[in-house]
Amino acid sequence: MAVAKEEQKAAPDKQKQDGKKKQEPEEELSDEDLELKKNIELMVERVKDSDAAIVKAALDAITKEIHTTTSSMTAVPKPLKFLRPHLETLISTFEAMPAGPNRQTLADVLSLLTSTVAGKEGEREGLRFKLQGNTSDLETWGHEYMRHLAGEIAEEYKDRHEKEQPVDDLLHLVAQIVPYHMTHNAEPEAVDLLLEVDQLDKLEQHVDDKNYARTCLYLVSCCTYLPEPEDTQVLQLAHRVYMAQHKYHDALRVALRLNEPATIEATFAACSDVLERRQLGYLLARHGAWGAINLEEGPAAVEDEAEREALREIISNSKLSEHFLALARDLDVMEPKVPEDVYKSHLTDGRQPAGAALDSARQNLASTFVNAFVNAGYGQDKLVTVSTEGNDTVHWIFKNKDHGKTSATASLGLISLWDVEGGLPLIDKYLYSNDNAVVAGALLATGLVNCGVQNENDPAFALISDYVSNADAGIRSAFALISDYVSNADAGIRSGAILGLGLAYAGTQREEVQELLVPLVLDSDQTMEVAGLAALALGLVFSSSCKEDVVEALLTALMSRGETELSGVWAKFLVLGLGLLFLGKQEVVEPTLEIAKTLAECVSKYAQVVLDGCAYAGSGNVLKVQELLALCGEHIETEEATAWKSKPVAFGGLACGTSSGKALKVQELLALCGEHIETEEATAWKAVHQGPAVLGIALIAMAEPLGAQMATRMLEHLLSYGEPPVRRCVPLALALLHVSDPAQQVVDALSRLSHDADTEAAQNAVLALGIVGAGTNNARLAGILRGLASYYYKEPSLLFLVRAAQGLAHMGKGLIGLSPIHTDKQLLSGVALSGLLAVLTACQDLKATIGAKHHYLLYCLATAMKPRMLLTVDNEGQLLSVPVRVGQAVDVVAQAGRPKTITGFQTHTTPVLMSAGERAELGSFQTHTTPVLMSAGERAELGSEKYLPLTPILEGTVILKTNPDYVELAE
């Protein structure tokens, strides 16, 4: 009954709706449209006529109507609209029509008509009819039709290719579509079509000075989404096009992305303009490709000695300290800061880290790192560079205990970063200290002060001893200062010397370093700490080089060590050193991966994951990400799953103490106590590969914005459902995806994790906050860290990490960032990434490394430290202040017309400080004058036509030349 009542109620509503439909008038047509409709219907009738002349006249009339009609972009042309109801009639007429010109013309009309009708999946009617029509007049049917046909050709080509059927007729159509697209501002569609039909090499002949920019921009942008080897082929094509158009800066950028030394050198050599070549030098210096160019001999040799010295000075970053200090003076931040300026304890409510709960040695160590990071590159501070001669105060270095002195002395190198001439005299006196920890710190400081700056006056290996004995510290090279200490009997001095060498020569591929460190890796009598640090140093020096001798040495070391040694923390640095050799090299790593499978079980899986992650760093390879995700999802029995098995032992002991003492019972309990039960110590290695698998996901996705967003979402799922080893590395992966880019979503996630019940996850989250906010002075993040300092005031280890994170957040007083991605997010610096990976690897065993005696590993971040500025110079290299616009970068890939590349811009005067995601352009109104500070996601553009930049991307140091066509306008 209830159903019947509902139906009765519904009936009137249905009647009302039907009534409304009947009342709705049909679409009214104008007199012109009615006449057109009648003509179309008449022509359709005549097409069915048996007289070929009448059919031809009707088809010509239909074709003329279609060609001459005008319509909006969103509407179907009216002739096609009126032809739609007759589609089936025309198809049946076509099937019955004999072969000839009329049938071909009708096939053309049907091909166009079916492109406006949604057909069944896989039908491709438009292409079917076109192949039976005229295949030489495609452009007459318009752009939208060409796009539709290109899509059907791609699908048909794929099907035929799988069935091994001929495709010549399809390629004939492609040969007409591609030139049309290239001459009608549809370059991305031409590229897509050629990629689909495996004919990308045909694109080059259609590129000219009008369309090369849009074509290459799309090629470079889409390479991240292509599988191997197409991703490399696309970049190679873009490089050839840029070279043909003499756009050497763009070509060098692509060559650096290809990571092929021969291509880099050939690109540099092809550029003959003196100023443009110097601009290329600045790009090489920023990328850390110091070993890629030989100015003395080979294709890139420069005959003019003065020009060769000028180029060497630029590529070696010799002016970096001078430029950085010019930026600091312009922004008035030269005054040294003390750790309390960062802590701002007076702003913290509630508990203070003071009293008995405070470890004073740990606090001093934390202040050492904060002071080093905040005053990095300024050459002066109020703790370690201040002289204590003539007064009774104890120098800051000696306020630290044992290993703390090493980091305190090493902080001199970070404070004098990039200033070799000014820094070495400050460090030299500590090399002769009676305290081995101070000597170790001085060696590390020597490496730090040379990090990122190459001195071509380094003597040859045979002359090192002469320079070592020289009394003048200013002319002694880093190699000469450090090399003699590598074989020192004291383990601390040896470690400082090894890591100092690695940092000083990171990315240089110096053979002398190899000769010095490889024996330490191969010597099984050396401790794993020494071998691990030597491997890390080799990885830093020979990053992305695939150096065969070094690879062989590291594999031999991994094979010769016992399982106990390979299960320790330093074995991970042996593996990392091996991985850094293949950084970004993709399939080149395959033979080494096969050898890694033969290593001891406790390290084999870990080595495979690290090698895979490093080799595909920044590639965006989806298949590799899926493989790593599968590893992260594994459920592996470790401590949590097996600890219950040992509980009977504990209860057995209790029973033994209260039993009657019968011998049988005692024997049974003793047997239980003697059982070998796999718990944490025995099974932890089984899950050790999951940590680098999580980092590998971030490593592969980090260089591409969309991939980074997707990876961030994946990490959120791993946080919810992953096992403890996976969850602990999620904060590190988030940090790697957002280095010096404190996005709100990421900061919130890390803030939550910093209070996690799992201490290791909380520790990693705290340090990750520092890496995410490195050098940004982000107020919100600084507030979170102050809150954490109050929250963890009774936990020295966590409080130390909070302080270190605070120092990182204010790195260089906000002028220095850690991001390895540069040049408008198009390049990933392998040298910078290597240092970051060294710290993140240490964080996987934080208690045994940074949390213990090896906190100096934090100084590996020096390889990634770079000023985030835009600085403009003239022809002579002198600073030049010009107005620029700085705003958020806009993605203009495949956009029609000439869209603006920045939005929400402000105008500054160079030098400019730039944040992540920002761009700059030369400005003419509301301007800021260079130098300017740039943030994440920002872009800069010149706003005045008075000067012309020698690079299309305004970032770092930019050379400007006067525009000869510029005319000054009177106000």
Side-chain angles (χ1 to χ4, degrees):
M1 292 294 292
V3 175
K5 287 181 181 179
E6 288 176 4
E7 288 177 353
Q8 287 174 3
K9 288 180 182 178
D13 293 337
K14 190 176 180 181
Q15 289 174 1
K16 287 180 184 178
Q17 290 174 2
D18 292 343
K20 285 181 181 178
K21 286 180 183 177
K22 289 177 182 177
Q23 290 172 10
E24 285 178 4
E26 294 182 4
E27 184 183 354
E28 293 185 5
L29 299 175
S30 64
D31 293 340
E32 290 181 1
D33 290 348
L34 281 171
E35 185 178 354
L36 177 61
K37 186 179 180 182
K38 289 178 182 176
N39 286 340
I40 293 291
E41 290 172 351
L42 177 62
M43 292 171 198
V44 171
E45 287 298 321
R46 288 182 174 178
V47 166
K48 295 187 286 185
D49 200 289
S50 57
D51 190 339
I54 295 174
V55 173
K56 184 179 183 303
L59 289 171
D60 288 345
I62 291 174
T63 304
K64 184 179 178 182
E65 287 289 352
I66 293 171
H67 283 164
T68 57
T69 188
T70 56
S71 64
S72 67
M73 289 293 289
T74 56
V76 177
K78 287 180 180 176
L80 293 177
K81 185 178 177 181
F82 296 143
L83 275 171
R84 274 179 176 176
H86 308 287
L87 178 60
E88 295 301 326
T89 304
L90 289 172
I91 290 175
S92 58
T93 304
F94 171 80
E95 299 295 347
M97 191 176 289
N102 286 347
R103 196 172 194 272
Q104 288 185 330
T105 307
L106 181 55
D108 291 344
V109 173
L110 285 172
S111 179
L112 179 66
L113 188 56
T114 50
S115 70
T116 66
V117 179
K120 294 178 182 177
E121 188 176 352
E123 274 191 341
R124 299 190 280 276
E125 290 290 283
L127 177 61
R128 181 171 75 87
F129 286 117
K130 191 62 195 174
L131 290 174
Q132 298 180 68
N134 297 305
T135 57
S136 57
D137 60 345
L138 300 184
E139 66 277 359
T140 61
W141 298 102
H143 180 68
E144 285 299 320
Y145 171 70
M146 299 278 273
R147 288 183 61 189
H148 179 85
L149 194 62
E152 293 192 349
I153 288 172
E155 293 176 10
E156 181 68 19
Y157 182 89
K158 184 179 178 181
D159 284 355
R160 292 196 194 179
H161 189 68
E162 289 174 355
K163 298 173 183 175
E164 298 183 356
Q165 295 176 348
V167 292
D168 294 342
D169 52 346
L170 300 180
L171 296 181
H172 176 68
L173 296 177
V174 170
Q176 297 177 66
I177 295 173
V178 169
Y180 179 86
H181 281 330
M182 293 296 289
T183 54
H184 288 77
N185 298 316
E187 297 89 350
E189 290 162 27
V191 173
D192 286 340
L193 179 57
L194 289 174
L195 279 170
E196 292 290 348
V197 298
D198 302 324
Q199 297 288 315
L200 191 61
D201 54 330
K202 300 287 179 65
L203 180 68
E204 201 170 347
Q205 62 191 359
H206 302 293
V207 179
D208 55 31
D209 59 342
K210 298 182 182 64
N211 59 26
Y212 81 91
R214 281 169 53 84
T215 304
C216 289
L217 181 62
Y218 186 73
L219 284 170
V220 173
S221 300
C222 73
C223 81
T224 315
Y225 306 101
L226 296 173
E228 297 178 86
E230 287 181 6
D231 54 348
T232 304
Q233 291 170 0
V234 160
L235 288 177
Q236 289 169 343
L237 174 60
H239 180 264
R240 291 198 301 272
V241 171
Y242 278 135
M243 290 292 284
Q245 297 297 326
H246 307 294
K247 300 297 178 182
Y248 298 113
H249 193 277
D250 294 314
L252 183 61
R253 196 169 66 245
V254 176
L256 288 169
R257 190 161 175 177
L258 281 166
N259 202 6
E260 296 174 354
T263 308
I264 295 169
E265 194 166 23
T267 305
F268 187 86
C271 180
S272 56
D273 184 82
V274 173
L275 287 178
E276 195 169 350
R277 200 164 8 172
R278 290 183 183 182
Q279 186 65 67
L280 298 184
Y282 281 118
L283 178 57
L284 290 170
R286 174 62 184 90
H287 193 67
W290 302 292
I293 302 295
N294 186 349
L295 298 175
E296 301 287 346
E297 54 186 24
V302 178
E303 294 181 4
D304 186 351
E305 188 175 346
E307 178 58 23
R308 185 166 62 245
E309 288 304 313
L311 281 171
R312 183 177 287 120
E313 187 177 73
I314 290 171
I315 295 173
S316 65
N317 263 335
S318 298
K319 292 282 187 181
L320 183 57
S321 179
E322 180 186 322
H323 290 167
F324 173 70
L325 293 175
L327 171 67
R329 279 190 289 270
D330 188 79
L331 299 175
D332 195 21
V333 291
M334 287 296 293
E335 181 67 23
K337 285 192 175 185
V338 294
E340 182 53 37
D341 295 334
V342 173
Y343 299 159
K344 296 182 179 177
S345 302
H346 61 283
L347 297 178
T348 307
D349 297 326
R351 300 169 294 187
Q352 294 293 324
L358 183 67
D359 181 350
S360 61
R362 205 71 174 161
Q363 183 194 26
N364 286 352
L365 182 62
S367 296
T368 294
F369 279 102
V370 172
N371 179 66
F373 286 135
V374 171
N375 296 299
Y378 289 88
Q380 56 181 338
D381 74 324
K382 294 182 179 180
L383 293 185
V384 292
T385 59
V386 178
S387 176
T388 57
E389 294 179 9
N391 56 48
D392 297 331
T393 57
V394 178
H395 195 278
W396 178 261
I397 289 174
F398 300 101
K399 290 182 181 179
N400 292 272
K401 292 181 181 178
D402 302 327
H403 52 82
K405 294 176 187 175
T406 301
S407 287
T409 313
S411 68
L412 276 167
L414 206 59
I415 291 166
S416 304
L417 190 64
W418 310 316
D419 183 12
V420 180
E421 292 181 4
L424 285 180
L426 288 174
I427 298 162
D428 187 60
K429 58 184 176 182
Y430 296 106
L431 288 168
Y432 309 107
S433 172
N434 294 324
D435 192 324
N436 286 343
V438 173
V439 175
L443 292 166
L444 186 52
T446 305
L448 284 168
V449 80
N450 284 276
C451 186
V453 181
Q454 300 311 309
N455 186 354
E456 286 298 326
N457 293 324
D458 271 357
F461 189 72
L463 300 175
I464 283 174
S465 57
D466 294 336
Y467 281 80
V468 170
S469 59
N470 194 303
D472 182 3
I475 65 169
R476 288 164 64 183
S477 70
F479 195 91
L481 285 169
I482 298 171
S483 58
D484 273 11
Y485 294 91
V486 169
S487 56
N488 195 284
D490 183 78
I493 290 178
R494 201 156 58 242
S495 297
I498 291 168
L499 191 57
L501 271 178
L503 293 173
Y505 294 98
T508 61
Q509 301 180 24
R510 287 286 294 268
E511 296 289 340
E512 294 94 328
V513 179
Q514 176 188 336
E515 292 171 10
L516 204 59
L517 296 184
V518 165
L520 295 178
V521 173
L522 292 173
D523 187 358
S524 56
D525 293 332
Q526 297 287 350
T527 63
M528 279 299 288
E529 179 184 338
V530 169
L533 286 173
L536 174 60
L538 286 168
L540 291 171
V541 174
F542 294 96
S543 174
S544 301
S545 69
C546 304
K547 185 79 172 173
E548 190 175 339
D549 296 343
V550 182
V551 172
E552 187 178 334
L554 293 178
L555 285 172
T556 303
L558 286 167
M559 290 175 180
S560 61
R561 296 281 180 167
E563 286 199 13
T564 306
E565 292 175 311
L566 293 176
S567 299
V569 61
W570 294 106
K572 294 181 179 179
F573 286 92
L574 268 174
V575 174
L576 176 64
L578 184 61
L580 293 179
L581 296 173
F582 294 97
L583 200 61
K585 287 297 188 178
Q586 299 197 23
E587 71 276 1
V588 179
V589 79
E590 293 299 329
T592 310
L593 264 177
E594 292 302 315
I595 298 172
K597 293 176 183 177
T598 67
L599 297 175
E601 192 179 12
C602 59
V603 77
S604 175
K605 195 73 173 175
Y606 183 90
Q608 292 174 51
V609 174
V610 170
L611 283 168
D612 243 352
C614 288
Y616 288 88
S619 67
N621 191 301
V622 178
L623 297 177
K624 291 296 175 184
V625 170
Q626 289 174 346
E627 288 176 16
L628 294 173
L629 268 176
L631 292 176
C632 294
E634 290 177 356
H635 175 72
I636 299 168
E637 283 197 356
T638 54
E639 178 190 11
E640 291 79 2
T642 61
W644 62 270
K645 296 180 182 178
S646 60
K647 288 182 180 178
V649 180
F651 285 112
L654 180 63
C656 195
T658 58
S659 68
S660 58
K662 290 183 179 179
L664 185 60
K665 288 293 180 186
V666 172
Q667 288 175 358
E668 288 177 4
L669 293 172
L670 281 173
L672 285 174
C673 293
E675 283 183 3
H676 175 69
I677 299 168
E678 287 196 348
T679 54
E680 180 184 15
E681 293 78 10
T683 62
W685 63 267
K686 292 183 179 178
V688 76
H689 65 279
Q690 289 188 312
V694 178
L695 282 176
I697 293 171
L699 197 54
I700 292 169
M702 67 183 296
E704 194 272 313
L706 183 61
Q709 288 178 19
M710 294 173 68
T712 303
R713 199 172 301 160
M714 291 176 197
L715 293 173
E716 290 174 2
H717 292 299
L718 291 178
L719 207 54
S720 301
Y721 308 110
E723 295 293 313
V726 172
R727 292 185 76 256
R728 288 166 191 159
C729 284
V730 167
L732 305 177
L734 285 171
L736 192 56
L737 285 168
H738 301 88
V739 180
S740 292
D741 183 11
Q744 183 177 347
Q745 176 190 0
V746 177
V747 172
D748 288 344
L750 292 174
S751 179
R752 288 194 305 273
L753 283 168
S754 64
H755 296 84
D756 199 88
D758 185 340
T759 305
E760 290 183 48
Q763 288 176 335
N764 287 342
V766 169
L767 197 57
L769 279 169
I771 294 172
V772 165
T776 62
N777 281 351
N778 187 279
R780 184 165 176 271
L781 191 140
I784 290 171
L785 290 173
R786 281 196 298 272
L788 287 171
S790 175
Y791 183 77
Y792 287 121
Y793 80 111
K794 283 188 177 181
E795 299 185 35
S797 295
L798 269 159
L799 182 59
F800 167 73
L801 292 171
V802 172
R803 295 307 192 199
Q806 286 179 300
L808 287 170
H810 296 85
M811 183 183 284
K813 302 171 193 170
L815 307 192
I816 296 176
L818 285 180
S819 179
I821 301 170
H822 62 98
T823 315
D824 202 14
K825 292 191 173 183
Q826 294 186 29
L827 290 176
L828 178 64
S829 170
V831 177
L833 185 58
S834 299
L836 280 167
L837 288 176
V839 174
L840 296 178
T841 300
C843 288
Q844 293 175 42
D845 286 282
L846 221 146
K847 288 180 182 176
T849 53
I850 294 170
K853 297 181 180 181
H854 304 98
H855 31 74
Y856 56 78
L857 286 170
L858 282 173
Y859 289 128
C860 289
L861 293 174
T863 63
M865 292 170 66
K866 291 290 184 293
R868 51 190 192 90
M869 65 181 180
L870 165 61
L871 188 120
T872 47
V873 297
D874 61 15
N875 298 359
E876 303 300 322
Q878 301 301 312
L879 296 181
L880 184 67
S881 288
V882 296
V884 292
R885 293 188 289 268
V886 179
Q888 286 297 308
V890 178
D891 185 7
V892 296
V893 177
Q895 296 293 317
R898 294 182 180 178
K900 286 287 183 184
T901 57
I902 60 173
T903 184
F905 58 83
Q906 294 179 330
T907 36
H908 304 266
T909 307
T910 55
V912 188
L913 192 63
M914 297 187 71
S915 303
E918 289 184 328
R919 286 185 186 148
E921 62 181 16
L922 285 182
S924 56
F925 58 93
Q926 277 188 328
T927 52
H928 303 259
T929 311
T930 54
V932 183
L933 201 62
M934 298 185 73
S935 304
E938 289 184 332
R939 193 177 282 169
E941 298 176 1
L942 290 179
S944 168
E945 296 180 358
K946 185 176 180 179
Y947 296 101
L948 298 175
L950 295 182
T951 166
I953 296 172
L954 300 191
E955 197 175 305
T957 305
V958 176
I959 300 174
L960 301 179
K961 64 179 180 181
T962 307
N963 185 355
D965 300 325
Y966 177 74
V967 178
E968 192 81 45
L969 297 176
E971 293 186 4

